C-alpha cells in the first residue's frame, strides 16, 4: 500500500485528476512543502458520484447485515494494524501532536467497530393501529451520501460520517479538507482492501468551494453531511434546499465553561486549560468562554494560568508535545487579528499572545481577563489558543450570558450540587453539556449542536437514523 497517497481514490482505484491540477501540502511545523496531491475537478466528481450510485444499486444496499458487519470490522482491524502510519500522516499534514494523532486513529477504528456491531441492532417497529391489520416501519438507506469533513480532526470526523453511512447501506463520496487529505485517502484504500466493493467509498481531495459545491448540487446525492464553519454550513443548506436534499451540519461553537464555588475548582483550574488549548484551540468544542463564580475567581485564575504555562508547545512529532502549531499561516494570522483587536481594547493579557519560535505556525496559549462581553474575542469563534475568563455573581444572569451566543455546541459545568447541576445543564442552550468533565465526544452518544452550531447528530444510534429514510408499511387484514 502506498504510504503517501497523492491521487484521488475513485471506483476502488487510484487515479489522477482529469485536469491534472494538484494541491501543495505544507508541514505547519516547518513551513516546508512535502507533497502534492491531486485536486478533483468536475469530471472526477461526476465519475465518483456515478460510480457510487452504481455500487449502491448493484448490491451494497441489499447486502445482508452480516456481510456489512464483516466488512466494517475488517476496516477497523486494518486501521489498527496501520495506526502508526496514519498517525504520522496526520501529524505531518496538520501539525497535530503525535500522541493525539495516535489516539484519534484509534478512535476512528473504534467508531467502525461500534457501527459494525450496530448494524444488527438497528431496526424498525411494529405499531398497533386503530383499524387493525399489521403496521410496521423500515429504516432504509438513502443512496449516495456526500461527507465533507474539516481539517482540525480529519480522521475521526471522517470515520464518524463514513462508518454509520456504510452501516446503514449507503455509498459515500468523502471530501476531506484541502489541507488534510492524506488520512482520508488512506481510509478509502484500507476500506477497499477490507472487502468494501469498488465504488462504495470514494475519496476526492481538492478545493472545498469547487468540490463541495459540485457534490451538494449533484442530482444523485441524496444527503450531505458536513462539519465545518457556520458560514459554509449555511451555504450548503441553501444549495441543498434546491433539491430538498437531506442534510446534517455540525458547525461552529463558542462553548462555555462554568465553575461554581462549591465545585472541586482546583481540579477544574488544573484541567481546564486543555479544554480550550488542546489541538491549539482549533476545536469547535473549545471551552473558550469561562465563567467563574466571584468567590473563587482570583485563586482559580492564578491556578489556571500556572497550569497553562506548564503546557508543552513544540514539535508535534515528539511524544511529550501537548500543543503543536496552528494548521496554516492564514489560520495563525486570523487568530492574531483577534489578539490585535484585544490589545487595542486594552484587554488584560494574563499570559501568552506571542509566537514562541520563529519557524512553524506556532502561537502561545493566551489567557484574556477583564473582557467586555461586546468584544469580538468574547463573542466570535476564534479557532485558536485563546480563552476569556470572567467572574459571575448571579446564576440566572450567568445563564443569560451563556445563552447570549448564537452558538450552542458544547460546554462544561463544575459543581458538587446535584440539583444545581441538573438545573443549569437544562438551562444551557447546547447540544452537549459535561458536568465536572470536559469530555464532549462519546462514540455511543449523539453529538451535535443547537442554534447556529448545526442540525442533526453524529455518533450513537442517532447517526444511523440520520443516514436512513423512515418508511411505514401497512398490511390490511
Amino acid at each position: 500500500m502506498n504510504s503517501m497517497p497523492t491521487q484521488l481514490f475513485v471506483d476502488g482505484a487510484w487515479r489522477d485528476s482529469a485536469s491534472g491540477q494538484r494541491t501543495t501540502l505544507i508541514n505547519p511545523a516547518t513551513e516546508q512543502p512535502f507533497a502534492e496531491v491531486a485536486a478533483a475537478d468536475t469530471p472526477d466528481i461526476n465519475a465518483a458520484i456515478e460510480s457510487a450510485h452504481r455500487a449502491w444499486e448493484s448490491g451494497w444496499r441489499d447486502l445482508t447485515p452480516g456481510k456489512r458487519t464483516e466488512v466494517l470490522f475488517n476496516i477497523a482491524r486494518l486501521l489498527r494494524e496501520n495506526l502508526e502510519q496514519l498517525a504520522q500522516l496526520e501529524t505531518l499534514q496538520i501539525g497535530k501532536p503525535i500522541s493525539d494523532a495516535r489516539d484519534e486513529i484509534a478512535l476512528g477504528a473504534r467508531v467502525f467497530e461500534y457501527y459494525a456491531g450496530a448494524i444488527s441492532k438497528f431496526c424498525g417497529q411494529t405499531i398497533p393501529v386503530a383499524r387493525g391489520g399489521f403496521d410496521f416501519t423500515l429504516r432504509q438507506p438513502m443512496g449516495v451520501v456526500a461527507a465533507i469533513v474539516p481539517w482540525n480532526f480529519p480522521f475521526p470526523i471522517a470515520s464518524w460520517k463514513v462508518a454509520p453511512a456504510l452501516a446503514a447501506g449507503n455509498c459515500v463520496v468523502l471530501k476531506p479538507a484541502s489541507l488534510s487529505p492524506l488520512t482520508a485517502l488512506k481510509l478509502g484504500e484500507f476500506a477497499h482492501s477490507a472487502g468494501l466493493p469498488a465504488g462504495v467509498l470514494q475519496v476526492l481531495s481538492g478545493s472545498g468551494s469547487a468540490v463541495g459545491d459540485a457534490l451538494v448540487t449533484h442530482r444523485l446525492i441524496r444527503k450531505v453531511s458536513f462539519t465545518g464553519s457556520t458560514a459554509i454550513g449555511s451555504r450548503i443548506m441553501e444549495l441543498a434546499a434546491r433539491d430538498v436534499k437531506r442534510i446534517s451540519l455540525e458547525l461552529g461553537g463558542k462553548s462555555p465553561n462554568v465553575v461554581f464555588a462549591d465545585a472541586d475548582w482546583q481540579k477544574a483550574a488544573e484541567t481546564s486549560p486543555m479544554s480550550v488549548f488542546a489541538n491549539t484551540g482549533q476545536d469547535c468544542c473549545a471551552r473558550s468562554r469561562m465563567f467563574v463564580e466571584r468567590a473563587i475567581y482570583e485563586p482559580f485564575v492564578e491556578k489556571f494560568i500556572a497550569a497553562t504555562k506548564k503546557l508543552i508547545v513544540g514539535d508535534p512529532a515528539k511524544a511529550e508535545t501537548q500543543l503543536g502549531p496552528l494548521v496554516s499561516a492564514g489560520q495563525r494570522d486570523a487568530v492574531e487579528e483577534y489578539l490585535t483587536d484585544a490589545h487595542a481594547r486594552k484587554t488584560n493579557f494574563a499570559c501568552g499572545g506571542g509566537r514562541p519560535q520563529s519557524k512553524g505556525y506556532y502561537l502561545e496559549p493566551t489567557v484574556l481577563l477583564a473582557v467586555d462581553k461586546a468584544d469580538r474575542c468574547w463573542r466570535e469563534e476564534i479557532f485558536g489558543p485563546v480563552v476569556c475568563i470572567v467572574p459571575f455573581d448571579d446564576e440566572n444572569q450567568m445563564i443569560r450570558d451563556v445563552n447570549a451566543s448564537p452558538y450552542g455546541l458544547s460546554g462544561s459545568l463544575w459543581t458538587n450540587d446535584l440539583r444545581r447541576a441538573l438545573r443549569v445543564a437544562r438551562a444551557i442552550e447546547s447540544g452537549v453539556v459535561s458536568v465536572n468533565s470536559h469530555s464532549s465526544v462519546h462514540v455511543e452518544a449523539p453529538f451535535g449542536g443547537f442554534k447556529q452550531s448545526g442540525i442533526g447528530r453524529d455518533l450513537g444510534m442517532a447517526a444511523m437514523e440520520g443516514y436512513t429514510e423512515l418508511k411505514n408499511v401497512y398490511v390490511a387484514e
Side-chain angles (χ1 to χ4, degrees):
M1 295 183 182
N2 296 330
S3 58
M4 180 72 73
T6 58
Q7 297 173 292
L8 311 176
F9 192 78
V10 177
D11 204 22
W14 296 112
R15 60 186 277 179
D16 291 322
S17 64
S19 66
Q21 292 182 346
R22 304 185 77 76
T23 301
T24 300
L25 301 185
I26 306 292
N27 182 339
T30 65
E31 304 184 32
Q32 297 300 309
F34 67 91
E36 289 193 345
V37 179
D41 208 342
T42 302
D44 309 304
I45 298 163
N46 291 337
I49 295 172
E50 289 163 9
S51 169
H53 186 69
R54 288 194 301 271
W56 184 68
E57 286 194 320
S58 65
W60 179 251
R61 65 181 176 183
D62 300 317
L63 200 65
T64 62
K67 290 292 186 182
R68 288 204 305 276
T69 296
E70 182 181 338
V71 172
L72 265 65
F73 271 127
N74 282 340
I75 294 172
R77 175 180 55 79
L78 281 177
L79 296 180
R80 292 194 184 280
E81 290 174 358
N82 293 276
L83 184 149
E84 186 62 25
Q85 179 192 157
L86 289 164
Q88 293 290 341
L89 289 175
E90 203 82 312
T91 294
L92 185 64
Q93 67 183 354
I94 60 170
K96 188 178 292 287
I98 187 63
S99 58
D100 291 346
R102 289 170 180 145
D103 288 344
E104 289 176 18
I105 303 305
L107 171 60
R110 197 148 48 85
V111 168
F112 275 94
E113 289 165 346
Y114 175 83
Y115 287 107
I119 292 171
S120 61
K121 302 165 188 66
F122 184 67
C123 50
Q125 298 174 300
T126 57
I127 303 170
V129 291
R131 65 177 59 184
F134 180 58
D135 193 281
F136 63 97
T137 62
L138 299 172
R139 284 284 183 179
Q140 295 188 310
M142 294 176 170
V144 182
V145 171
I148 305 173
V149 302
W151 47 258
N152 58 334
F153 295 98
F155 193 78
I157 294 179
S159 298
W160 72 48
K161 292 186 186 303
V162 171
L166 296 181
N170 301 284
C171 292
V172 180
V173 179
L174 172 61
K175 164 63 180 74
S178 58
L179 293 172
S180 56
L182 300 181
T183 49
L185 290 165
K186 292 299 291 184
L187 175 59
E189 179 186 27
F190 289 139
H192 187 255
S193 298
L196 201 68
V200 175
L201 175 60
Q202 323 273 1
V203 187
L204 299 175
S205 51
S207 161
S209 57
V211 180
D213 285 7
L215 284 174
V216 175
T217 56
H218 196 285
R219 64 182 181 83
L220 292 178
I221 294 293
R222 296 287 182 85
K223 170 167 178 168
V224 181
S225 179
F226 170 79
T227 297
S229 72
T230 296
I232 296 176
S234 178
R235 174 171 171 76
I236 286 173
M237 191 173 183
E238 180 182 352
L239 292 174
R242 298 175 185 178
D243 298 324
V244 199
K245 296 184 193 299
R246 279 55 174 150
I247 59 170
S248 57
L249 307 172
E250 194 265 282
L251 308 175
K254 192 70 176 176
S255 297
N257 190 359
V258 179
V259 185
F260 284 94
D262 71 352
D264 183 350
W265 61 264
Q266 294 93 339
K267 179 181 178 182
E270 291 169 356
T271 61
S272 287
M274 284 301 281
S275 79
V276 62
F277 300 133
N279 208 42
T280 319
Q282 301 165 124
D283 182 358
C284 50
C285 291
R287 274 68 166 163
S288 55
R289 292 184 300 152
M290 292 202 65
F291 300 79
V292 181
E293 195 163 14
R294 193 176 297 277
I296 58 167
Y297 178 75
E298 290 188 6
F300 179 93
V301 168
E302 182 179 354
K303 191 173 284 288
F304 182 96
I305 292 170
T308 297
K309 290 180 176 179
K310 291 178 183 178
L311 296 176
I312 300 172
V313 181
D315 183 354
K318 294 183 178 179
E320 66 270 20
T321 296
Q322 293 171 281
L323 306 183
L326 289 156
V327 73
S328 67
Q331 186 62 26
R332 183 173 63 179
D333 289 346
V335 175
E336 287 180 331
E337 284 184 20
Y338 283 96
L339 299 183
T340 298
D341 183 73
H343 276 297
R345 293 174 179 269
K346 303 190 183 310
T347 304
N348 180 356
F349 279 66
C351 71
R355 298 183 179 186
Q357 52 199 70
S358 60
K359 206 60 160 176
Y361 307 128
Y362 293 93
L363 193 62
E364 293 171 338
T366 304
V367 179
L368 303 181
L369 307 176
V371 182
D372 190 293
K373 294 186 178 70
D375 290 354
R376 290 181 64 213
C377 285
W378 178 262
R379 293 183 295 105
E380 299 177 15
E381 184 177 36
I382 298 175
F383 228 62
V386 182
V387 67
C388 302
I389 310 178
V390 299
F392 75 89
D393 299 292
D394 178 73
E395 178 184 307
N396 291 329
Q397 182 58 50
M398 177 272 294
I399 290 171
R400 285 192 290 271
D401 289 337
V402 166
N403 292 338
S405 172
Y407 300 111
L409 182 59
S410 188
S412 291
L413 163 63
W414 293 80
T415 179
N416 284 328
D417 183 328
L418 179 58
R419 287 181 296 180
R420 171 182 282 153
L422 293 173
R423 180 175 68 245
V424 177
R426 286 180 176 139
I428 291 175
E429 295 172 350
S430 179
V432 178
V433 177
S434 301
V435 179
N436 297 331
S437 166
H438 301 301
S439 181
S440 295
V441 174
H442 308 274
V443 174
E444 306 83 359
F447 174 78
F450 288 11
K451 300 186 288 188
Q452 291 185 29
S453 286
I455 296 172
R457 294 296 181 266
D458 288 316
L459 299 175
M461 296 303 280
M464 291 280 281
E465 293 175 2
Y467 289 108
T468 57
E469 295 283 15
L470 181 61
K471 176 181 285 185
N472 179 254
V473 179
Y474 172 71
V475 182
E477 291 180 327

